[in-house]
Amino acid sequence: NRLKARMCRNHAWIALRLGTRDTGWVFRQLSAAANLDVTVALHPRWLGALVLAALPFGLREALNALGRKLRGTRENAKLVTEF
């Protein structure tokens, strides 16, 4: 269960960092992670994802841009939501 919880947490974090607008899915992933292993809710990435998901999209994008700038990474990743 711990591995599944980490995967749910990481998927939520990655989706937010890639710019998803589906915060309902993110909240479901974070909830599933906490239900599988309550200690995962103490991880900085879980808490960060919870805060990011609660922010309006524009502010979330601005914070993501700042994070990319501070880390020196380019904005070249794309999130595919439909096929």
Side-chain angles (χ1 to χ4, degrees), residues 5 28 30 71 77:
R28 286 191 299 276
L30 293 174
R71 294 188 60 173

Side-chain angles (χ1 to χ4, degrees), residues 17 62-74:
R17 294 288 286 133
L63 287 174
N64 277 333
L66 177 63
R68 283 189 295 273
K69 185 175 182 177
L70 291 174
R71 294 188 60 173
T73 56
R74 293 184 294 182

Side-chain angles (χ1 to χ4, degrees), residues 12 14-15 18 32 57 61-62 72 81:
I14 290 166
L18 289 176
F57 182 75
E61 283 300 295
T81 58

Side-chain angles (χ1 to χ4, degrees), residues 22-63:
D22 189 0
T23 55
W25 180 85
V26 170
F27 284 123
R28 286 191 299 276
Q29 291 298 306
L30 293 174
S31 177
N35 287 334
L36 288 166
D37 181 9
V38 72
T39 62
V40 79
L42 301 174
H43 193 279
R45 191 170 279 184
W46 190 91
L47 294 169
L50 184 65
V51 170
L52 276 178
L55 295 175
F57 182 75
L59 183 54
R60 187 168 58 241
E61 283 300 295
L63 287 174

Side-chain angles (χ1 to χ4, degrees), residues 79-83:
L79 179 65
V80 177
T81 58
E82 295 181 19
F83 291 96

